[in-house]
Amino acid sequence: MRTLRRGDRGEDVKVLQRALRRAGFDAGDIDGIFGSRTEAAVRAFQRAKGLQVDGIVGSRTWAALAPFMEAEESWLRRGDRGPYVEMVQLALTRAGFSPGTIDGIFGSRTDSAVRAFQRANGLQVDGIVGQRTLAALKPYLTGYVEYTVRRGDTLSSIARRYGTTVEALLTANPRENPNLIFVGETLIIPLPFDVVPTNVSYTSELTELISEGLAARYPFIRKRRIGTSVSGSPIEALVMGSGTKRVFYNASHHANEWITTPLLLKFLEDYAEAYASGGRIGGISAARLFDGTTLHIVPLVNPDGVDLVTGAADSGSLYEQARRYAANYPSIPFPSGWKANIRGVDLNSNYPADWEKEREVKFAAGFTRPGPREYVGPNALSEPESRAVYDYTNENRFDLAIAYHTQGRVIFWKYQDYEPANSEAIAERMALGSGYTLREGPANSYAGYRDWFISQFNKPGYTVEAGSGVNPLPISQFNTIYRDNLPILTAGMDALLS
C-alpha cells in the first residue's frame, strides 16, 4: 500500500477506512476521501498502538492495521507491475520460492510462487499479497527473524535450523559468554543472505526495511531519523564507528540518481561484515576505520522523488501535483527525468551557498517555477529534506563529506576559492583508486550540498558523479559502480587517519 495522508483519495483510502472501523476507530463514511475524520481516526489508532502520531499511514501504520484488513484488500495481485512487485519477487526468491526473473511483473510464475509460499506458511492460498502475506515475507527483506529460545536449544542448533552461522548469531546478539543463552530469551536470527539487494529498483519503503535489517544484524550500527520528507517519509541516518574523525556520505539528493542509495547501503553492509569478522574492506582493516572514524550515511535524502521515479508513487495528490509541474517543462521526460523533491524543488540547489547566484543562473536558463529539475525553491532551505541534512551536518560538524550523484565518473573537490587542507590530496587518492576524473568544481554552479559544506566548514567536501549514461542509470551498472567507488568510500575515511 502507498503512504496515505490527508487529502488523498482512492480505493486504498477505502481499505484504510474499513480497517480503522474494524479496529474500533470511526473514520466516517467509507468514501475513499482522506478527510479530517479519517485523519483523526488514524491519529487515535496510532496513539493506541504506540506509533508516531502524525496522521500519516506509512508502512508501520499499515502493518499495525493488518489484523483488521480482509484478505481481498490486497497489496498486490496478478497483473500488477512495478517496484513493489520486485520487492515481493526478491523476498520470494530469498525464501526459496522461485517467481522467475525479478522483473516487476506479477505474472503466472510469481502468482504460483506466492501461492506456494502461502501454503507453506499456513496462509490463505489466494495468490494475493495482502498484509498477512506481506508480513510473512518481511523477514526476507529485512534479513532477520526473531526467535524465542526453548529448552534444549543451543546456538549451534539454532544456526543449523535457520541456515546461518554461530558467528552471525553472536554478532547480532553480543554477550560476554558466547555459550550462554536463556530459555525465553529473544534472539535476532540473521538469515543466510545479504540484506542489501543490488538487482531491484529502490523505494523509500525498501530503504527503511534494509536500514532496519542492518541495525538488527549489526547492533553496532545506530539508526536515527533526522527528518521527514514533504510526504512524511522518514529521512534516516545510519551511524557506525567509535572514532573521533566524523565522516558523512549522502545519496539521492536527485531522484533519478537513486542507484547511489544501494551504493552506500552495500558499502555499509560490507564494512559491518568486515568489522564483525575481523576482516578488511577495500584492502583496509575494518577495525582501523571503526576505531578511528565515525561514519554517518544518509542513503536516501529524497524519498518522495525516488518513489516517483521508480513508480512506487503513481497516484495521489502529490503525484498529480508533480505531474502538473512536469507539464510546465515538456522537454523533460516524466517521471524518468525527475530530479527534484515531490514539490518540484531541486534539493541540490537549495543550500545556503550563494543561493541567490544559483537563482539567477537557473532563472536565466528558464527554471523559474517548480518542475522536474533545476528550480531552486522560494528560498534557501525551503524544503524539509535539505533542511534535515543541513541541520544534521551542523549538529555533527563532519571532518569530511561526500554527496553522491550520477553521470560522468567525476570527482569534484573544490568550491570557488575554498581549498580546505588536504582536500586535493585526498581527492587525488580517490581518483587514483577509482579511475574517475578529478575536477575542481562545475563552473557557474552554486547552492549544492558540497558547495555549502566547504564554504561553511572549510573541510574536505566532494561531489562524486558515479557511473555514466542516461539517468536513471540501470541497476545492471551497479557492480561496476560499486567496484569503482569502493576505493573512494574507504579513502574518505582512511585518509583522515594518516
Side-chain angles (χ1 to χ4, degrees), residues 192-361:
F193 50 80
D194 289 346
V195 178
V196 181
T198 60
N199 60 343
V200 298
S201 302
Y202 267 62
T203 67
S204 59
E205 183 172 350
L206 178 59
T207 304
E208 285 185 62
L209 292 168
I210 291 168
S211 298
E212 176 189 333
L214 291 177
R217 287 171 56 139
Y218 301 102
F220 47 80
I221 294 177
R222 289 99 66 194
K223 184 164 71 80
R224 174 184 166 189
R225 178 180 296 199
I226 68 167
T228 55
S229 68
V230 170
S231 77
S233 292
I235 300 170
E236 293 185 327
L238 296 165
V239 184
M240 177 176 161
S242 59
T244 58
K245 298 295 184 179
R246 291 154 296 182
V247 178
F248 181 42
Y249 300 155
N250 61 66
S252 292
H253 267 86
H254 286 155
N256 63 358
E257 299 172 4
W258 61 261
I259 200 170
T260 58
T261 291
L263 172 64
L264 291 190
L265 289 170
K266 181 62 177 170
F267 173 70
L268 183 65
E269 181 171 29
D270 286 352
Y271 174 30
E273 193 283 327
Y275 175 71
S277 64
R280 304 173 77 81
I281 176 80
I284 300 170
S285 164
R288 167 184 163 84
L289 298 179
F290 188 97
D291 294 339
T293 69
T294 299
L295 173 64
H296 300 244
I297 75 165
V298 173
L300 185 50
V301 174
N302 186 3
D304 303 341
V306 168
D307 283 349
L308 178 68
V309 169
T310 61
D314 60 1
S315 62
S317 58
L318 289 173
Y319 172 84
E320 294 300 332
Q321 175 182 269
R323 191 165 65 170
R324 289 193 299 273
Y325 290 157
N328 294 325
Y329 301 89
S331 64
I332 301 173
F334 180 79
S336 64
W338 193 275
K339 296 171 68 175
N341 75 347
I342 202 68
R343 278 204 297 234
V345 175
D346 191 319
L347 297 177
N348 208 44
S349 294
N350 196 235
Y351 288 93
D354 296 310
W355 178 87
E356 293 80 6
K357 292 182 180 179
E358 181 77 346
R359 184 180 186 274
E360 290 178 11
V361 170

Side-chain angles (χ1 to χ4, degrees), residues 19-343:
L20 286 167
R21 179 173 290 182
R22 294 189 195 104
F25 297 86
D26 183 10
D29 295 335
I30 309 298
D31 56 6
I33 301 172
F34 198 133
S36 58
R37 288 190 65 181
T38 300
E39 182 183 38
V42 169
R43 290 178 178 274
F45 177 81
Q46 291 171 325
R47 190 174 297 107
K49 297 297 181 180
L51 302 167
Q52 181 178 350
V53 182
D54 56 9
I56 297 169
V57 185
S59 57
R60 291 178 176 82
T61 302
W62 278 123
L65 284 165
F68 307 102
M69 298 171 69
E70 299 291 346
E72 69 270 13
E73 295 173 339
S74 64
W75 190 63
L76 291 170
R77 66 178 76 207
R78 186 168 180 172
D80 286 337
R81 293 173 176 248
Y84 290 124
V85 177
E86 290 183 58
M87 288 169 60
V88 168
Q89 291 171 327
L90 171 68
L92 289 166
T93 300
R94 288 174 167 180
F97 298 84
S98 177
T101 303
I102 298 177
D103 56 6
I105 302 171
F106 201 133
S108 59
R109 287 196 64 178
T110 299
D111 179 79
S112 296
V114 169
R115 291 174 186 272
F117 177 84
Q118 290 171 326
R119 189 174 298 111
N121 286 273
L123 301 166
Q124 181 176 345
V125 181
D126 56 9
I128 294 172
V129 184
Q131 292 298 318
R132 292 178 179 85
T133 299
L134 183 61
L137 285 168
K138 181 183 174 182
Y140 300 100
L141 296 172
T142 59
Y144 77 96
V145 295
E146 294 184 348
Y147 175 77
T148 302
V149 176
R150 296 177 293 192
R151 189 175 302 278
D153 280 338
T154 64
L155 288 178
S156 295
S157 67
I158 295 169
R160 285 194 301 271
R161 186 177 309 157
Y162 286 94
T164 188
T165 65
V166 171
E167 290 74 20
L169 287 174
L170 289 172
T171 296
N173 306 274
R175 58 201 57 236
E176 290 185 10
N177 185 342
N179 298 311
L180 191 61
I181 58 176
F182 301 95
V183 173
E185 178 184 5
T186 299
L187 299 178
I188 299 295
I189 312 296
L191 298 178
F193 50 80
D194 289 346
V195 178
V196 181
T198 60
N199 60 343
V200 298
S201 302
Y202 267 62
T203 67
S204 59
E205 183 172 350
L206 178 59
T207 304
E208 285 185 62
L209 292 168
I210 291 168
S211 298
E212 176 189 333
L214 291 177
R217 287 171 56 139
Y218 301 102
F220 47 80
I221 294 177
R222 289 99 66 194
K223 184 164 71 80
R224 174 184 166 189
R225 178 180 296 199
I226 68 167
T228 55
S229 68
V230 170
S231 77
S233 292
I235 300 170
E236 293 185 327
L238 296 165
V239 184
M240 177 176 161
S242 59
T244 58
K245 298 295 184 179
R246 291 154 296 182
V247 178
F248 181 42
Y249 300 155
N250 61 66
S252 292
H253 267 86
H254 286 155
N256 63 358
E257 299 172 4
W258 61 261
I259 200 170
T260 58
T261 291
L263 172 64
L264 291 190
L265 289 170
K266 181 62 177 170
F267 173 70
L268 183 65
E269 181 171 29
D270 286 352
Y271 174 30
E273 193 283 327
Y275 175 71
S277 64
R280 304 173 77 81
I281 176 80
I284 300 170
S285 164
R288 167 184 163 84
L289 298 179
F290 188 97
D291 294 339
T293 69
T294 299
L295 173 64
H296 300 244
I297 75 165
V298 173
L300 185 50
V301 174
N302 186 3
D304 303 341
V306 168
D307 283 349
L308 178 68
V309 169
T310 61
D314 60 1
S315 62
S317 58
L318 289 173
Y319 172 84
E320 294 300 332
Q321 175 182 269
R323 191 165 65 170
R324 289 193 299 273
Y325 290 157
N328 294 325
Y329 301 89
S331 64
I332 301 173
F334 180 79
S336 64
W338 193 275
K339 296 171 68 175
N341 75 347
I342 202 68
R343 278 204 297 234

Side-chain angles (χ1 to χ4, degrees), residues 401-420:
I402 298 177
Y404 260 97
H405 293 264
T406 60
Q407 282 305 326
R409 294 169 51 85
V410 175
I411 302 168
F412 294 107
W413 68 274
K414 187 178 177 182
Y415 178 63
Q416 302 302 319
D417 295 328
Y418 294 91
E419 295 189 28

